[in-house]
Each structure stands twice: as C-alpha cells, then as structure tokens.
C-alpha cells in the first residue's frame, strides 16, 4: 500500500529534516511541505473536492464520502510550531472535516499531558523531536492503516483492506516427537515455492529446533521483540533471518529459560506484525502449551494438530483439544488434525481419530518414511529433501489442501499395483502366462512349438488350491 503523506511544517530546518526521513520510508509518497495551517486546509479541501471544501468545520459528516476521500492523503504531519492556527486546534479541525485522514503531531514535548490533549483533539500519534526514523515510520504506518480502515467503511476504496493481513497457520504436536517441526518447515517451503511471502516463526520457546533443521545460526530471536512496544518495519527486519530459500525465520532463543519473557501480549503483537508483512505466517508451537503459543493458536486462521496413528498419541491429541476447549483457546471443530507416519497396516484409521478428538482430519495422510528424512535431518538441511520423497510430496499436497500453495499435486506412486514399487525396493519381473499341467511335477520339457512354454507359475510352483493365487492376473493382487 502506498502511503501518501502531507507534512505541515512552518520551520524550514524542520521541514528539510522531515522530508529527508520521509524519503527513506518504504512505500511512502510524501508531498511538498505546506508552511501554515491555511495552506494545509486549502490543500486538503482541494484534494477532497468542492463538496468538502464548502463545508463548515462544525463536525458534520462530509457529503459524498465515497468520492471525497479518494484523493486525500492517508497521513498528515502537523508540526507544533505551525501557525496561525495552533497545532491542537488545527488537528481538531482536520479530524472533523477530513475524518479519513490520520494526523500525527510532531513536538518536542512528548509528555503524558500533551499526549492526552493530542488524542482528545483527534491525533493518531505523536513523534518526538529530534526526529528518529524508527519512531516516525511506526507512527506513519499506524496512522495509514487506521486511515485505510476508515476509508473502507466510508466506501472510498471498496477493494482496500484495513490492514495487510497474512494467513496464520499454527502447527502443534499432540506430544513430542510426532513430526511437528518437519510439518511446519515443509508447509512453509511449499507456500514459498508457490510465490508467497512466508515467515516461519518458532514458538516452541524452550526447545525449538527450526534453526537446526535449516542449518541456521542467528543471534536474534523472538525474545528480542518481546519488550518492544512498537514493532516498526526496521526492528522486525533486524530480528527476522532472511534464509536463502526465501523464508523469513524468527527463531526460538538459545537459552530456553528466556522463553518466559514472551507472554501472550508480546506474542499477539509479534504475530500481528508478521502478518502485516508476509502473506503466510507458519508458527511451530511445539507440544507444550504456554501463554505465547496459546495466543497464536487462538489467533490462527488454520490450527493444525499433528498426531501419529497410535493409541497413546491419539489420547494425547484428545487431551490437547480438551485443554484448548476448557481454556477457550479454540474449539475442536475449528481444529484440523494431521495424521503423520501412516502405513497401510495401521489399525487406527483417520475416521477413528476424527471421532476420538472431535476435530476435522486432513484428507492428506503423511506416510511413515523416516529413511527419506534421516539424511536431511542429520545434515540440518530439510530444504534439500528430495522432491521424490513421499513425505515431502504428502506435506506439499497438504499445503495445497489448506490453500497455502497451488492445487494439490498428484503424489508419485499412487497408481495401480503395476506402477508401485515393492516394499523391498526390488523391481517386479514380467511374468509369462501358460497352461497349468495336471500334475504338480514337471516330467521333462512339455510338448509344444516353443521350449519353456509350460514353465508358467503354476507349472513351477505346483497346482493352485483354494482359488486364485497371488500371481493370478485374473484375480486380485496382494503384496507381501
């Protein structure tokens, strides 16, 4: 979103300083500064059109808001030394006549008394002097987001959104060791491969391992953002590691005890800041519920619960769902369970998992193939997992099912039995068909035009008893 900014600064030195900093803001379109209050009101009235220009500043709603707000700047900066109208009076008049404009006051006195008076007048923030880039950027972006939300309700730009909001996906394990981190990493990689801007945040604050899985050593972590009130774009950029895969990584702290510094308020603020800058935010929440990852699960657009198809893990998943329900974090029907390490010999089927937990179960089942994962896990390079891996294919298909990537891809090896490899890894040999002799013992070469015509499966292994056998092409095929 392009932020149009109109500064109203009477002091020439301050005007030059403001213009220099505004020129560094991303996606900012600053206008030339106006020197006094009259010029500011005339510029706003001219941009809004004659319907607003003729309105008295009595607090009445502007006529024709849909057409009036289109050309107005999102943010107006008012210097404390503006004249002839005092700064607070000017802010009040702008807020009454142009309610879709966010006003920010620039002042040397940023004390609580002036802050309260500015908020009462209708300002959306205060920037202290001397000017600092981070503070100015945070106030301008906050005012611009507020103005965008107001314009949506006024109808000035129906296609605009109140604030850029990405999709938040949380991945939680029913218990430790069920594959939560692998699932989170592969979902993030799948979304990135689809062209999305993706952030992968580790909210398993005591034992997070995303850095180990992606071979990353970075001194910043999520704890560094916990004590900051206003997360500006530059502060967030300093804490997020830009991985060579294109992912933005916000890692867990090296010292697990520091995870207690991230409370639910900090987690909400961090997640909101990430969603404003990325299309998809994937959060690895581990298996232990704390206030930080509980807040993330509550805010999530998609909450995944990873389990394996065994009795102990399904019971743990049921306890987790009940815990979320008791604490009013999330309802069971709003949770999606992912069944990991599924095999064709598994007795606990997805329908039973859904019945036991009361959750939805993802259609995509992740197979048990740790041998495919082990080299990448040991090397700490999960991004190098072979594209032919059945685990990778299933998790990327899951990303498509959740809407994080494109349409679900066709998983390799899902055709008939003739296209599937054997579990032993050996290729099947082509079998020739022939008539079975009456006796189970071959007495020399049988008569016929070609030698070996009677060496079919029945002749070599004896007569079939009890119906078709495993090599009967007319009957069902069974592996094993």
């Amino acid at each position: 979103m392009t932020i149009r900014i109109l500064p109203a600064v009477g002091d020439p030195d301050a005007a030059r300083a403001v213009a220099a900093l505004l020129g560094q803001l991303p996606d900012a379109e600053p206008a030339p500064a106006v020197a006094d209050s009259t010029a500011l009101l005339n510029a706003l009235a001219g941009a809004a059109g004659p319907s607003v220009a003729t309105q008295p500043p009595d607090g009445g709603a502007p006529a024709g808001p849909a057409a009036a707000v289109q050309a107005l700047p999102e943010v107006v900066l008012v210097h404390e030394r503006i004249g002839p109208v005092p700064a607070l009076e000017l802010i009040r008049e702008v807020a009454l006549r142009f309610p879709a404009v966010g006003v920010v006051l620039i002042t040397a006195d940023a004390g609580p008394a002036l802050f309260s008076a500015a908020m009462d007048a209708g300002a959306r923030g205060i920037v202290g002097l001397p000017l600092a880039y981070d503070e100015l950027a945070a106030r301008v972006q906050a005012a611009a987001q507020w103005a965008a939300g107001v314009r949506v309700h006024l109808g000035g730009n129906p296609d605009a959104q109140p604030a850029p909001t990405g999709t938040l996906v949380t991945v939680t394990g029913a218990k430790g060791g069920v594959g939560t981190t692998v699932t989170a990493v592969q979902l993030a990689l799948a979304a990135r491969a689809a062209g999305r801007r993706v952030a992968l945040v580790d909210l398993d604050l005591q034992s997070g391992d995303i850095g180990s899985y992606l071979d990353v050593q970075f001194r910043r972590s999520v704890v560094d953002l916990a004590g900051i009130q206003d997360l500006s774009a530059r502060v967030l950029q300093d804490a997020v590691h830009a991985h060579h895969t294109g992912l933005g990584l916000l890692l867990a702290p090296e010292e697990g005890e520091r995870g207690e510094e991230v409370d639910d308020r900090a987690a909400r603020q961090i997640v909101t800041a990430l969603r404003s800058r990325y299309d998809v935010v994937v959060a690895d929440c581990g298996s232990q519920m704390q206030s930080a990852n509980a807040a993330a699960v509550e805010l999530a657009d998609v909450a995944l619960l990873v389990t394996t198809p065994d009795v102990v893990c399904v019971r743990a998943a049921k306890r987790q769902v009940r815990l979320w329900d008791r604490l009013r974090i999330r309802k069971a029907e709003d949770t999606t369970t992912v069944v990991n390490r599924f095999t064709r010999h598994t007795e606990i089927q997805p329908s039973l998992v859904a019945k036991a937990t009361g959750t939805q179960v993802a259609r995509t089942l992740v197979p048990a193939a740790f041998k495919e994962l082990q080299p990448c896990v040991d090397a700490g390079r999960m991004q190098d997992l072979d594209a032919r891996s059945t685990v990778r294919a299933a998790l990327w298909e899951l990303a498509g099912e959740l809407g994080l990537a494109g349409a679900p891809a066709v998983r390799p090896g899902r055709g008939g039995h003739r296209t599937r490899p054997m579990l032993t890894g050996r290729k099947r040999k082509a079998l020739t068909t022939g008539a079975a002799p009456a006796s189970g013992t071959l007495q020399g070469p049988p008569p016929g035009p070609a030698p070996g015509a009677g060496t079919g499966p029945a002749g070599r292994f004896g007569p079939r008893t009890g119906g078709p056998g495993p090599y009967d092409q007319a009957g069902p095929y069974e592996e094993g």
Side-chain angles (χ1 to χ4, degrees), residues 119-191:
M119 295 301 105
D120 292 340
R124 301 306 308 170
I126 291 181
V127 179
L129 290 173
L131 293 175
Y133 174 86
D134 290 340
E135 184 181 12
L136 180 62
R139 298 295 178 269
V140 167
Q141 290 175 357
Q145 291 181 2
W146 176 86
V150 172
R151 295 178 190 208
V152 170
H153 294 291
L154 290 178
N157 188 2
D159 297 330
Q161 297 295 328
T165 303
T167 302
L168 174 61
V169 180
T170 57
V171 185
T172 308
K175 65 183 189 67
V178 296
T180 308
T181 303
V182 172
T183 301
V185 170
Q186 289 298 325
L187 289 179
L189 291 173

Side-chain angles (χ1 to χ4, degrees), residues 335-427:
T335 304
T336 301
T337 300
V338 178
V339 179
N340 190 21
R341 298 173 190 163
F342 187 83
T343 67
R344 61 192 179 94
H345 299 295
T346 300
E347 295 184 1
I348 298 180
Q349 296 297 311
S351 57
L352 181 58
V353 176
K355 183 178 180 180
T357 60
T359 63
Q360 308 175 37
V361 175
R363 297 189 304 271
T364 305
L365 305 177
V366 185
F370 185 73
K371 288 185 178 179
E372 299 175 358
L373 299 175
Q374 188 170 4
C376 294
V377 171
D378 293 342
R381 299 185 62 85
M382 186 55 61
Q383 68 273 16
D384 294 338
L385 185 61
D386 195 334
R388 296 171 297 179
S389 166
T390 57
V391 176
R392 180 184 184 272
L395 290 174
W396 284 43
E397 183 178 345
L398 175 63
E401 179 182 338
L402 299 176
L404 305 180
V410 178
R411 292 173 58 185
R414 298 287 292 182
H417 67 269
R418 297 186 184 278
T419 60
R420 274 201 315 269
M422 294 186 65
L423 298 181
T424 58
R426 296 194 299 265
K427 296 182 179 179

Side-chain angles (χ1 to χ4, degrees), residues 32 52 73 82 104 113 129 197 290 321 335 357 427 436:
V52 178
I82 196 70
V104 177
L129 290 173
R197 295 175 301 170
Q290 300 170 343
V321 171
T335 304
T357 60
K427 296 182 179 179

Side-chain angles (χ1 to χ4, degrees), residues 205-206 223 226 253 255-263 290-291:
L205 299 175
Q206 290 188 350
V223 175
E255 302 83 7
E257 64 274 12
R258 295 196 62 193
E260 298 179 357
E261 301 177 23
V262 185
D263 56 7
Q290 300 170 343
S291 59

Side-chain angles (χ1 to χ4, degrees), residues 220-372:
R220 299 285 187 181
S221 72
V222 65
V223 175
D224 296 317
L225 301 177
I228 301 176
Q229 296 296 329
D230 296 314
L231 294 179
S232 65
R234 177 169 293 185
V235 171
L236 195 63
Q237 183 179 0
D238 290 341
V240 175
H241 173 72
H243 197 253
H244 66 84
T245 58
L247 299 179
L249 305 180
L250 186 56
L251 305 177
E254 288 289 339
E255 302 83 7
E257 64 274 12
R258 295 196 62 193
E260 298 179 357
E261 301 177 23
V262 185
D263 56 7
D264 56 343
R265 182 203 62 81
R268 292 176 186 274
Q269 187 179 14
I270 293 169
V271 167
T272 302
L274 290 172
R275 294 177 72 180
S276 68
R277 291 181 57 83
Y278 294 92
D279 300 325
V280 177
V281 179
V282 180
D284 179 3
C285 295
S287 59
Q288 298 295 325
M289 277 293 99
Q290 300 170 343
S291 59
N293 48 22
V297 172
E298 183 180 1
L299 295 174
D301 300 296
V302 179
L304 300 180
L305 182 61
V306 182
T307 184
T308 53
D310 57 84
V311 174
V312 175
C313 200
V314 172
R315 286 177 177 173
K318 185 177 181 179
R319 288 196 303 268
Q320 189 76 273
V321 171
R322 289 182 173 179
L323 173 65
W324 289 352
D325 185 65
R326 289 195 305 270
L327 298 180
R328 297 185 178 181
I329 297 173
R330 199 171 193 88
K331 295 181 180 179
E333 55 267 24
D334 296 332
T335 304
T336 301
T337 300
V338 178
V339 179
N340 190 21
R341 298 173 190 163
F342 187 83
T343 67
R344 61 192 179 94
H345 299 295
T346 300
E347 295 184 1
I348 298 180
Q349 296 297 311
S351 57
L352 181 58
V353 176
K355 183 178 180 180
T357 60
T359 63
Q360 308 175 37
V361 175
R363 297 189 304 271
T364 305
L365 305 177
V366 185
F370 185 73
K371 288 185 178 179
E372 299 175 358

